[in-house]
Amino acid sequence: MEASHLISCYQKGIHRTMNEDLLIEILARLPLKSLSRFKCVSKSWYRLISDKYLQQKLPLISTGVFFRSESDQFKEPRYASTADDGVIKESRLDFFPFHGKSTIVDACNGLLLYYQTAPVTFYVVNTTTKRWVSLPKPCRLTQLSILAFDPYSSPHYKVICFTGWRARGAELEIYSSETGKWDQHEIEFGIETDAISATMHYFNNILYILANPNFIVAINLTKISCNLIELPAKMNQDGRVGHSQGHLHYAHIDGKKLQIWMLKAVNKSDWVLKHETSVRDFIGTREIKPSILAFHPEKELVYIWIPSKMVSYNLRERRLEGMWKFDKEKGKAYLIQIWLFPCSSFLTNCLA
């Protein structure tokens, strides 16, 4: 049923005889913009679209990519979106009035974190609803800023600023959109700070950071505590950490094999090798070096970057499920990260 016909049914009063479960099935197939608009139809529709049950039925989609290019024309980070025709198209950010005066320092699940130096200001921008908000000024200058947002579980986000480094730890200042304020903390990593990498993943209110030679530093943002998890294999530059089906996963490409482990218990170094497949299964016989981007949160899919395109690979069935290509102008781009999140009302409510 098309969206226009659904509205017509409502206007004619047909919706009164429509089974609520059927309506939920129809709403779950609509795009995010239509869902946001249909919230205004009636109080009952607003309740249905905001309901957790509907959010759980909504598909998780690859909605955006964040990349840089090797060419001089695109030195700055770029934001793009995936299209139905399989092409990655650059999206305009001119709706944000401070785009030219500030810098994108991080991106997480549909939100961008901007930083402006004069005056010092953080901005959080919702690329889907085209809304933005400025944060209160932090007490100290930041040396590294991380945005933590999971729209599947909450409309609230956090900004983690590392304001000072120690030999085996750091000083933090954390902003919570739920409280609207910054709080200062100190934390110990359990390993040398120089071992910390720039590869991170936020899940279930924990910031996971890969560290050399074979560790994950897990920072609990609720308890402000840190736990060290030993990896099942030595970390390499292609290593990625992510979550899928409620468990933390680690993947890397070792030679010509893609290996994926699952952590059986949180905060314990108890891994099981879940998948092992040949790189040729998703790139053919050409000598191309792929990079792991992300895991699908609910399916046994992994997203992989191959020069000029992104593919989704079904681990269980060992086949490609999707492919998105950069156009010729951006053919030399190399991907930084992609965003995978559900079409939920949490995203439309964020920064509302």
Side-chain angles (χ1 to χ4, degrees), residues 218-277:
I219 303 177
N220 189 310
L221 299 180
T222 300
K223 300 177 180 179
I224 314 299
S225 60
C226 192
N227 184 61
L228 206 58
I229 302 172
E230 188 173 356
L231 289 172
K234 186 176 181 180
M235 191 189 93
N236 61 27
Q237 63 180 1
D238 295 315
R240 290 293 183 271
V241 62
H243 72 278
S244 181
Q245 299 174 323
H247 290 274
L248 193 71
H249 285 64
Y250 173 70
H252 75 193
I253 295 175
D254 184 10
K256 299 185 181 298
K257 292 188 299 183
L258 167 65
Q259 295 176 307
I260 297 177
W261 290 267
M262 181 185 74
L263 187 65
K264 295 174 65 175
V266 178
N267 296 331
K268 293 183 180 180
S269 302
D270 188 7
W271 299 89
V272 58
L273 182 62
K274 193 173 181 181
H275 295 286
E276 186 174 57
T277 185

Side-chain angles (χ1 to χ4, degrees), residues 77-241:
R78 299 278 167 162
Y79 162 63
S81 58
T82 55
D84 294 336
D85 58 6
V87 178
I88 295 178
K89 299 180 179 179
E90 188 168 346
S91 299
R92 298 178 64 87
L93 293 170
D94 53 5
F95 68 90
F96 176 56
F98 303 104
H99 177 64
K101 300 178 182 179
S102 53
T103 304
I104 299 174
V105 294
D106 200 17
C108 186
N109 289 330
L111 299 185
L112 295 177
L113 179 64
Y114 279 82
Y115 181 71
Q116 180 177 286
T117 56
V120 172
T121 311
F122 280 104
Y123 300 99
V124 176
V125 177
N126 189 324
T127 57
T128 300
T129 61
K130 299 190 185 315
R131 296 175 181 268
W132 58 273
V133 64
S134 60
L135 307 188
K137 183 179 178 180
C139 296
R140 301 180 62 182
L141 291 177
T142 181
Q143 298 182 33
L144 175 65
S145 304
I146 307 298
L147 180 62
F149 177 54
D150 181 5
Y152 192 64
S153 60
S154 172
H156 299 293
Y157 58 87
K158 292 182 179 180
V159 177
I160 304 100
C161 291
F162 291 83
T163 58
W165 302 104
R166 298 179 177 180
R168 297 171 64 87
E171 297 172 358
L172 305 177
E173 196 164 356
I174 301 177
Y175 174 82
S176 169
S177 64
E178 187 171 13
T179 64
K181 64 177 184 177
W182 294 89
D183 290 310
Q184 297 185 44
H185 307 278
E186 297 178 357
I187 198 164
E188 294 293 326
F189 296 138
I191 58 174
E192 298 294 326
T193 300
D194 291 343
I196 301 294
S197 78
T199 303
M200 306 179 185
H201 177 72
Y202 176 70
F203 168 57
N204 200 22
N205 214 33
I206 297 177
L207 182 64
Y208 295 96
I209 309 174
L210 288 181
N212 288 305
N214 60 330
F215 293 104
I216 294 177
V217 176
I219 303 177
N220 189 310
L221 299 180
T222 300
K223 300 177 180 179
I224 314 299
S225 60
C226 192
N227 184 61
L228 206 58
I229 302 172
E230 188 173 356
L231 289 172
K234 186 176 181 180
M235 191 189 93
N236 61 27
Q237 63 180 1
D238 295 315
R240 290 293 183 271
V241 62

Side-chain angles (χ1 to χ4, degrees), residues 21 36 41 50 55 92 125 133 215 282 291 293 308 337 350:
D21 289 338
S36 181
V41 170
S50 301
Q55 292 169 24
R92 298 178 64 87
V125 177
V133 64
F215 293 104
F282 47 84
S291 299
L293 298 176
S308 79
Q337 58 180 273
C350 186

